Amino acid sequence: MLTSAEATAESRPARRPHAPPLLDSLTGLRGLAAILVFGFHFTTFQFVFGPTGGLEFAPLTRPRFLTMSGNFAVGSFFILSGFVLALTTREGTSLANFCAKRVGKLYPVYFVTTALAIGAIVVLGMPITTENIVLHLTLLQSWVPFQEIYTGVNPVTWSLSTEAFFYLLFPLALFVVQRLTSRALYWVLGAAVFLEFALPLYVMHYFTVKPSGGSLEYFSTGAQGGDLVYWLTLPFPPYRFLEFLVGMVCCILLNRGVLPTIRQRWAWAWCAVAYVIGTYSDGPLQRTAVGFVALPFLVVALAQADLAGRWSLLRGKVFVTLGKLSYGMYAIQLLVVLPSEPFVMRWLSSLFGVSTSTLGEPAWKVLIMVAYFGLVILLSVPIYRYIEVPAYDFAKGLYRSRKGSPMFAAPESAGKSSL
């Protein structure tokens, strides 16, 4: 039985506002995630000089809490993506215009950084296959369950391949979820949580993938249930779509006014608890499932704070600026760090008269990481100004005069049936 608030919400359209509210805290959350993901990548990927003097990939052993920082960052990106896209996609948008904007937002920066990565691999004399190049340029690498494919060019861009799948499904997903009752949407949230935990365990127990030929494994996957479960819980687009879908559902419930107020302090506390649990969790649940039950609360709490004009730490200028630059920072960071770090470490070793192993100790490592983070921010500014913003502004103007798609039209009233 619906409450009075739900009944009121069900009787009116769940329309997105013509001019979406400015939710700076969500941009700031992207900025915080950018910091977390950089720390994760910096302590995960490294090139070293091999016996012949060439560069070789050397995975690092990092503290467990840094592993969880990467998991939290990527999960927040996916949930935010679904939430913000549901919030900002207006009625009257044509399908062609929607597609143009998504391509304009995603692909130009992706293409430039992928081309730079391919060029760097060739110049450094490292192996790369035509198959890998084609899969990356077509954003299909996340569909292949081998690490040398989905992390084989610019390792971080598997998430952009996954995101492209979200964009493909978004119009149909929005059409469906807008026509569900609020009660049905809560069932969707429950089903997503169940699947997020159940699918990795099911696959771990009943399926396996045996690499063929020279297939490489860059990361140990034993604690994640083997390489197939590692792939399922890292880049596999349908599985990660659960996070995007939950972001969409939370946005629609918020628009209907049926969500209770979530205070920021409780959302942050719940995220901290989930972070600690995830840090000490073994197996496939650490990668996505643990954070999945906490991050949507934080996204909703931040959105509610902005809408109500309440104070939010993430509305600060630093976090918002980093949030705006986060895409370029994400796409460029390993292209800056990986090829240069071995030479920087050798130079610092000579300059200060210490061994490279000493430079790997925490005090030195933090200083070097901070310096690289500053460099990545500086390089992301021209990417944002001269690639990301102009490409998206151009794409926004394409096909605007076409008839609005019914996929984006909110129903006159939300559906009455419940699941």
Side-chain angles (χ1 to χ4, degrees), residues 120-314:
I121 291 170
V122 172
V123 168
L124 294 172
M126 304 186 76
I128 188 171
T129 64
T130 302
E131 175 190 29
N132 219 343
I133 293 174
V134 170
L135 287 170
H136 277 77
L137 290 178
T138 55
L139 283 162
L140 294 175
Q141 68 268 33
S142 288
W143 293 90
V144 182
F146 299 119
Q147 290 183 29
E148 75 270 23
I149 298 294
Y150 59 80
T151 61
V153 175
N154 184 358
V156 304
T157 56
W158 65 264
S159 66
L160 305 178
S161 169
T162 303
E163 185 84 11
F165 175 72
F166 301 165
Y167 293 164
L168 186 65
L169 286 189
F170 175 77
L172 178 60
L174 183 65
F175 180 83
V176 172
V177 297
Q178 282 196 123
R179 284 154 179 80
L180 295 177
T181 65
S182 297
R183 179 179 294 175
L185 291 177
Y186 281 118
W187 277 102
V188 170
L189 293 178
V193 171
F194 172 78
L195 291 172
E196 188 80 11
F197 281 85
L199 285 175
L201 297 176
Y202 177 76
V203 173
M204 182 174 63
H205 282 89
Y206 295 105
F207 295 89
T208 186
V209 165
K210 296 184 181 299
S212 60
S215 183
L216 301 175
E217 185 176 288
Y218 292 101
F219 310 103
S220 172
T221 61
Q224 298 293 337
D227 202 41
L228 179 61
V229 177
Y230 188 86
W231 167 69
L232 174 80
T233 55
L234 182 69
F236 185 49
Y239 179 71
R240 300 308 296 255
F241 180 74
L242 293 171
E243 292 158 289
F244 182 84
L245 177 63
V246 163
M248 290 177 59
V249 170
C250 287
C251 179
I252 292 170
L253 290 171
L254 184 64
N255 277 343
R256 291 182 182 178
V258 299
L259 285 178
T261 298
I262 302 173
R263 296 297 180 184
Q264 293 179 73
R265 60 180 179 271
W266 295 114
W268 284 113
W270 181 224
C271 284
V273 170
Y275 196 104
V276 172
I277 293 173
T279 295
Y280 293 99
S281 295
D282 290 324
L285 301 182
Q286 181 199 60
R287 184 163 301 282
T288 55
V290 176
F292 184 72
V293 297
L295 288 169
F297 289 95
L298 180 60
V299 171
V300 170
L302 293 172
Q304 289 176 332
D306 281 359
L307 292 170
R310 293 193 296 271
W311 177 87
S312 168
L313 173 67
L314 296 185

Side-chain angles (χ1 to χ4, degrees), residues 39-40 43-44 60-72 223-224 274-287 290:
F40 170 75
T43 55
T44 298
L60 303 174
T61 301
R62 61 186 175 274
R64 295 175 66 91
F65 75 89
L66 287 176
T67 301
M68 198 60 195
S69 75
N71 297 336
F72 250 61
Q224 298 293 337
Y275 196 104
V276 172
I277 293 173
T279 295
Y280 293 99
S281 295
D282 290 324
L285 301 182
Q286 181 199 60
R287 184 163 301 282
V290 176

